[in-house]
Amino acid sequence: MTVPVGIHDITLATARYALDLGELARRFDVDVNKFYTGIGQRVMSVPAEDEDIVTMGASAAARLLERDGGPMPRTLLFATETGIDQSKSAGVYVHGLLGMPAECRVLELKQACYSAAGALQLALGLVARSPDERVLVIASDIARYDLASSGEATQGAAAVAFLVQRDPALIEIEPASGLHTLDVQDFWRPNSRNTALVDGKYSVKAYIDSLKGAFDDYRAHGGASIDEIDRFCYHQPFTKMAVKAHTSLLQHTGRPADRQAVADALAPTFTYNAEVGNSYTASIFIGLLALLDGDVDLTGERIGFFSYGSGAVSEFFSGRVMPGYEAHLHRDEHASALLARESIDYERYLTLHPGTEVSSRGDYTTAAGAGRFRFTGVREHSREYLDVERAPESSTAAEQ
Ligand code: HMG
């Protein structure tokens, strides 16, 4: 009998501020239902000046490790497309902030919104080879588009952290997987820019074409038929994207495709993403968290996952919900991460948007926010971080 390998525990963190999309609708004189209903988004998380992918990732991972009784993970995979350095992995900063042992490999992975699903697959391989090992995966991103662009309403910020190990408490990931890679220019972010460039309508088409290709490959590699999959969990740049995608998949496989029925079936995966916005590589796992945290018993059900990263790499894979999973959920923690955000208006949001071009600010210090982990500023080209609970007077850089 093969030993199940998969996701043992998972949690999320998001940013300090929340901008209701009603603020954008008012500013641009657009019917708010274009956002609330048309793209299925209500609110976007907006980071404070002292927050970034490291602070969000550390915040999620700290909670995960603090409640975990197992051996320390020997691998930390950090998935992001909001890189803070061309050389050093953001995961190494998190490793330092969390005081993880030196006996650990740390890597950063990038391929748009796909990289956390890729990290999951690498983690499964590591555990299959060394069954006593555990892998910590962190996915952390800040989605930013130009002000007044069509993508602006689909910004957001969040991180997830999850542990991959044998005999997982939550989800066993099945071996079959379907892959699809195509060199397309639907969405990209040159090094000179803070904001992504996107061909919005083309990106939607590329997503759907990739889904069909990845699902066909999943089937060709022993994956379950569409009728044997109980739930679907999609990458959600905006929640309506998942509805469009699943409707197309049903048509592709010759099944009836009523859009309202699809929206209702996928809705349990939308509750968190509709409130945080696009969190790029974290988004599919935030969809999973919302599904698990919902009020339906999922025991034994098969979930089909579709991860899409523009550019474009995608994967369709599946997993089974483990018996007893409900005892390992942390619903209150996730609800309070969202509720703790402070609502801001459009004017305040403008002051937090970094603008299009990357500019060198030299040395600077950030204003202190309320989070446990802080990006405190830059000194001599070096980013500095602080764990307020552990080292109030020093930064990680100063400690090294
Ligand atoms: P747009 O072109 O401004 O919006 O932006 P639209 O005119 O297409 O309207 C959107 C929907 O709202 C439409 O519904 C309208 O009918 C509806 P649909 O026809 O699509 O079903 N609508 C209304 N509904 C109710 N009441 C109203 C109303 N008005 C209109 N009053 C676009 C849409 C997706 C282009 C834009 O949001 C965008 O550019 N987003 C960024 C790109 C993106 O998210 N692409 C998704 C696929 S690519 C991907 O997922 C990868 C990504 O995450 C990056 C990565 O991999 O790293 C982005």
Side-chain angles (χ1 to χ4, degrees):
M1 205 180 85
T2 52
V3 178
V5 181
I7 298 174
H8 182 65
D9 193 5
I10 178 166
T11 193
L12 68 78
T14 187
R16 178 167 173 208
Y17 297 117
L19 180 79
D20 192 296
L21 296 188
E23 286 290 314
L24 279 190
R26 266 190 290 283
R27 171 68 181 78
F28 294 106
D29 200 18
V30 170
D31 180 351
V32 72
N33 288 320
K34 173 175 178 180
F35 301 144
Y36 288 174
T37 314
I39 61 168
Q41 292 300 123
R42 295 198 73 83
V43 176
M44 63 165 83
S45 287
V46 180
E49 200 197 0
D50 68 341
E51 293 179 314
D52 68 5
I53 54 164
V54 169
T55 63
M56 289 192 299
S59 165
R63 273 186 271 118
L64 204 68
L65 294 182
E66 278 163 10
R67 67 177 174 232
D68 181 63
M72 218 18 146
R74 284 172 53 79
T75 301
L76 189 174
L77 300 177
F78 196 107
T80 188
E81 58 178 296
T82 319
I84 51 162
D85 193 282
Q86 295 284 24
S87 180
K88 180 171 174 176
S89 162
V92 175
Y93 290 102
V94 174
H95 176 278
L97 281 166
L98 301 188
M100 291 177 72
E103 296 76 22
C104 186
R105 66 167 74 80
V106 181
L107 276 182
E108 182 169 309
L109 295 97
K110 176 176 71 183
Q111 176 37 55
C113 302
Y114 168 71
S115 61
L120 169 62
Q121 294 294 343
L122 298 182
L124 294 169
L126 283 169
V127 176
R129 202 182 69 151
S130 304
D132 290 336
E133 292 216 5
R134 308 164 83 219
V135 178
L136 172 62
V137 178
I138 297 173
S140 185
D141 265 316
I142 300 169
R144 284 192 180 112
Y145 295 93
D146 281 347
L147 295 170
S149 68
S150 71
E152 188 176 18
T154 64
Q155 296 174 118
V160 291
F162 57 90
L163 275 171
V164 177
Q165 65 170 62
R166 69 174 173 166
D167 295 319
L170 299 179
I171 310 270
E172 172 189 6
I173 302 296
E174 297 180 307
S177 137
L179 303 170
H180 195 264
T181 291
L182 208 59
D183 183 359
V184 289
Q185 205 69 352
D186 62 329
F187 165 107
W188 68 105
R189 183 169 68 83
N191 289 342
S192 57
R193 292 176 64 105
N194 295 309
T195 51
L197 292 159
V198 65
D199 183 340
K201 304 286 182 204
Y202 179 50
S203 72
V204 169
K205 181 182 178 316
Y207 181 121
I208 290 172
D209 289 348
S210 297
L211 168 62
K212 294 174 191 167
F215 186 76
D216 289 348
D217 190 52
Y218 168 77
R219 291 287 289 139
H221 285 83
S225 90
I226 195 154
D227 305 315
E228 295 168 320
I229 301 176
D230 304 295
R231 312 267 169 183
F232 290 83
C233 182
Y234 283 87
H235 164 54
Q236 295 164 28
F238 50 95
T239 62
K240 258 300 177 57
M241 182 67 235
V243 178
K244 284 176 193 281
H246 195 57
T247 305
S248 297
L249 183 65
L250 290 173
Q251 288 163 348
H252 179 65
T253 52
R255 304 301 189 275
D258 174 68
R259 216 164 150 168
Q260 191 53 51
V262 168
D264 292 345
L266 297 180
T269 67
F270 295 164
T271 44
Y272 296 151
N273 278 321
E275 296 289 323
V276 299
N278 193 356
S279 57
Y280 289 157
T281 192
S283 146
I284 186 173
F285 295 100
I286 292 180
L288 168 63
L289 255 184
L291 179 61
L292 293 172
D293 283 355
D295 50 16
V296 177
D297 181 4
L298 304 168
T299 304
E301 290 197 359
R302 174 179 281 127
I303 303 175
F305 297 90
F306 178 63
S307 170
Y308 175 78
S310 283
V313 177
S314 59
E315 183 158 354
F316 194 99
F317 58 99
S318 54
R320 287 257 187 209
V321 181
M322 300 298 285
Y325 78 98
E326 278 182 298
H328 300 269
L329 298 178
H330 300 273
R331 296 184 173 102
D332 292 351
E333 182 180 292
H334 306 140
S336 53
L338 268 60
L339 283 172
R341 291 174 302 170
E342 186 183 319
S343 289
I344 54 171
D345 60 14
Y346 183 79
E347 283 64 36
R348 178 76 176 111
Y349 151 77
L350 272 187
T351 68
L352 295 162
H353 192 283
T356 300
E357 299 294 329
V358 172
S359 59
S360 173
R361 289 172 65 183
D363 287 0
Y364 65 96
T365 305
T366 59
R372 171 176 167 186
F373 298 103
R374 295 192 53 230
F375 161 55
T376 55
V378 171
R379 196 157 27 126
E380 293 175 8
H381 303 282
S382 187
R383 292 177 81 84
E384 297 188 342
Y385 291 92
L386 178 69
D387 175 352
V388 173
E389 289 181 11
R390 223 179 93 212
E393 300 304 328
S394 64
S395 71
T396 53
E399 283 169 5
Q400 284 158 10

